[in-house]
């Protein structure tokens, strides 16, 4: 089993930056495909970014490409999301997630989830 805990969320003005962290415990973090998803009130959970365990290949949703950067530190069992140039529409609860098989943009393919951290962007 893997447990994930997000941190780093908060209130920020448009154009500002936040760095989210996801601390993992368990035996398999270094072998997991990891991802960030987000969910705004009344909307479905949506894909943000993913990173592979070995070569660190990343992919991003078009809405965040060029502004967000996903990274991981396997030695620290940690996943990160650097968010720059934040927009009002980035407001959501952000979740880290892991898959022991493969990663996609579909949240149903991820087995492990954190509880989420709130990001609120104000005008």
């Amino acid at each position: 089993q893997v447990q994930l805990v997000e941190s780093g969320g908060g209130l920020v003005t448009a154009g500002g930056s936040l760095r989210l962290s996801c601390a993992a415990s368990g035996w398999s973090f270094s072998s997991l495909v990891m991802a960030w998803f987000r969910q705004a009130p009344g909307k479905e959970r949506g894909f943000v970014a993913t990173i592979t365990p070995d070569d660190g290949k990343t992919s991003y949703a078009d809405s965040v490409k060029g502004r967000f950067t996903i990274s991981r530190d396997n030695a620290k069992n940690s996943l990160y999301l650097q968010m720059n140039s934040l927009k009002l529409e980035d407001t959501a609860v952000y979740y880290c997630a892991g898959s022991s098989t493969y990663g996609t943009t579909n949240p149903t393919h991820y087995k492990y989830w954190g509880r989420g951290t709130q990001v609120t962007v104000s005008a």
Side-chain angles (χ1 to χ4, degrees), residues 16-31:
S17 298
L18 284 174
R19 182 177 173 85
L20 305 183
S21 298
C22 176
S25 61
W27 302 109
S28 60
F29 175 80
S30 61
S31 65

Side-chain angles (χ1 to χ4, degrees), residues 79-123:
L79 176 75
Y80 307 99
L81 184 68
Q82 179 66 48
M83 305 185 295
N84 299 325
S85 301
L86 283 161
K87 303 176 180 180
L88 293 177
E89 52 264 43
D90 294 320
T91 295
V93 176
Y94 284 71
Y95 301 88
C96 62
S99 173
S100 60
T101 54
Y102 56 90
T104 70
T105 61
N106 189 335
T108 65
H109 294 162
Y110 290 80
K111 181 178 180 179
Y112 306 106
W113 291 88
R115 299 290 293 274
T117 185
Q118 177 71 49
V119 172
T120 302
V121 183
S122 64

Side-chain angles (χ1 to χ4, degrees), residues 9-87:
L11 177 64
V12 64
T13 57
S17 298
L18 284 174
R19 182 177 173 85
L20 305 183
S21 298
C22 176
S25 61
W27 302 109
S28 60
F29 175 80
S30 61
S31 65
L32 296 177
V33 175
M34 297 297 298
W36 288 96
F37 290 83
R38 64 186 181 184
Q39 187 167 25
K43 297 184 178 180
E44 294 185 352
R45 190 166 299 186
F47 170 76
V48 176
T50 187
I51 184 168
T52 60
D54 297 323
D55 58 5
K57 183 179 180 180
T58 61
S59 62
Y60 298 89
D62 288 342
S63 60
V64 306
K65 191 172 298 183
R67 299 187 299 120
F68 291 11
T69 302
I70 187 173
S71 62
R72 67 191 298 163
D73 187 337
N74 288 338
K76 297 181 178 180
N77 282 5
S78 295
L79 176 75
Y80 307 99
L81 184 68
Q82 179 66 48
M83 305 185 295
N84 299 325
S85 301
L86 283 161
K87 303 176 180 180

